[in-house]
Amino acid sequence: MATIIVVTSGKGGVGKTTTSASFATGLAQRGYRTVVIDFDVGLRNLDLIMGCERRVVYDFVNVINNEANLNQALIRDKRVENLYILPASQTRDKEALTKEGVERVLNELKAGFDYIVCDSPAGIERGALMALYFADQALVVTNPEVSSVRDSDRILGILASKSLRAEQGDEPVKEYLVLARYAPERADRGDMLSVNDVLEILGIPLLGVIPESQTVLQSSNAGVPVILEDSSEAGAAYSDLVDRFLGKDLPHRFTSAQKKGFLQRLFGGS
């Protein structure tokens, strides 16, 4: 039976779709049949970051409305075996995502996949609530700034109260923190929250710290999930994140940079 994972946050622009693309790609690289679904009806960015926008014929809403079947709508990734994308519609309203329709599609996907990654839109509107409702696990993406962390805290409250697991009194959605756009030197100067600050506020396990990097933007513009840029720090950070999710005990390489910055200052470095 497939595991359903929502990638969510309270605020827009924090790196959810970047994380969804790299996380799903990493799972597929490790041999797991993985599908990533774009829940951002009306905007649709996942297919751009995955580099398959020209191959979209049918979308998630078409499947919900029985205008196409899953085989017609799923796009197989050309670079990574076992990876599929279910794009969102650009022409429909978010009201098109009905609870019954989403559940039917997810149940059909469960039969053929190990992991279903749901790329949530920002905030708490319908698309976001539908993306998290059926989740077994959640990657909560935040940036090291007060407004982003506060909004993520609100999402944790919604996961605890408005998910199907909460309604049924089942074991809670398992939550993980992904801290994106982190710069240890700036955190040392007090220009952004530190990793420990964010952990203290949100109180959920840290899955990965993604360093601030131009590679992320360059990869997104090129339609390549940044995890495939394995020589970059951001790509390496996402690769570590996937391995930790799958049970490997790895150190958080990009949090220890704080110590390096402190020592540099001690010895007169910049």
Side-chain angles (χ1 to χ4, degrees):
M1 184 68 74
T3 300
I4 300 174
I5 304 156
V6 63
V7 180
T8 184
S9 77
K11 189 177 181 182
V14 299
K16 278 186 307 300
T17 301
T18 296
T19 297
S20 296
S22 284
F23 181 60
T25 299
L27 290 171
Q29 283 180 315
R30 287 151 179 80
Y32 297 96
R33 280 183 59 83
T34 305
V35 58
V36 55
I37 308 174
D38 191 347
F39 274 78
D40 203 354
V41 174
L43 291 178
R44 200 180 87 187
N45 289 316
L46 178 67
D47 55 301
L48 290 170
I49 289 180
M50 300 293 289
C52 63
E53 69 278 4
R54 294 176 183 171
R55 298 168 61 200
V56 176
V57 178
Y58 294 107
D59 57 53
F60 191 15
V61 174
N62 290 138
V63 180
I64 287 174
N65 291 340
N66 292 308
E67 297 160 349
N69 61 44
L70 270 176
N71 285 334
Q72 292 174 293
L74 285 172
I75 299 171
R76 185 174 62 82
D77 190 87
K78 289 182 176 180
R79 295 160 297 213
V80 180
E81 194 177 358
N82 298 315
L83 180 60
Y84 292 79
I85 301 97
L86 183 56
S89 170
Q90 279 186 309
T91 60
R92 306 295 181 97
D93 187 87
K94 289 179 172 60
E95 297 302 312
L97 295 178
T98 64
K99 193 174 288 186
E100 297 76 16
V102 171
E103 182 175 26
R104 178 174 54 80
V105 174
L106 290 176
N107 284 339
E108 192 172 343
L109 287 169
K110 282 180 181 179
F113 289 91
D114 299 306
Y115 289 104
I116 301 170
V117 178
C118 302
D119 180 31
S120 171
I124 55 172
E125 45 75 31
R126 186 175 185 84
L129 294 176
M130 283 295 99
L132 68 80
Y133 183 73
F134 296 100
D136 300 308
Q137 305 190 40
L139 271 55
V140 180
V141 184
T142 193
N143 294 157
E145 57 181 64
V146 172
S147 61
S148 179
V149 175
R150 180 195 61 194
D151 289 348
S152 292
D153 203 20
R154 188 177 184 195
I155 288 295
L156 292 176
I158 292 171
L159 284 165
S161 60
K162 291 193 173 183
S163 66
L164 179 61
R165 284 175 169 266
E167 285 182 5
Q168 295 182 341
D170 293 337
E171 186 177 327
V173 175
K174 192 170 185 179
E175 301 153 342
Y176 299 98
L177 173 64
V178 178
L179 183 57
R181 297 181 183 163
Y182 189 67
E185 301 81 10
R186 292 176 60 198
D188 282 345
R189 293 197 303 266
D191 295 339
M192 62 171 55
L193 297 175
S194 71
V195 174
N196 287 335
D197 291 334
V198 178
L199 286 171
E200 187 175 338
I201 295 167
L202 296 180
I204 59 175
L206 179 64
L207 191 63
V209 176
I210 312 302
E212 202 169 42
S213 171
Q214 278 295 111
T215 307
V216 174
L217 179 61
Q218 292 163 358
S219 297
S220 296
N221 288 338
V224 178
V226 71
I227 196 171
L228 295 177
E229 305 286 355
D230 51 12
S231 61
S232 70
E233 288 190 347
Y238 274 118
S239 184
D240 285 357
L241 181 155
V242 174
D243 284 335
R244 278 190 213 98
F245 178 82
L246 294 172
K248 283 193 178 180
D249 185 13
L250 297 176
H252 290 279
R253 289 191 269 172
F254 303 103
T255 60
S256 61
Q258 287 178 287
K259 294 179 181 178
K260 180 181 177 184
F262 176 70
L263 290 172
Q264 281 179 331
R265 289 203 310 278
L266 268 182
F267 292 104
S270 57

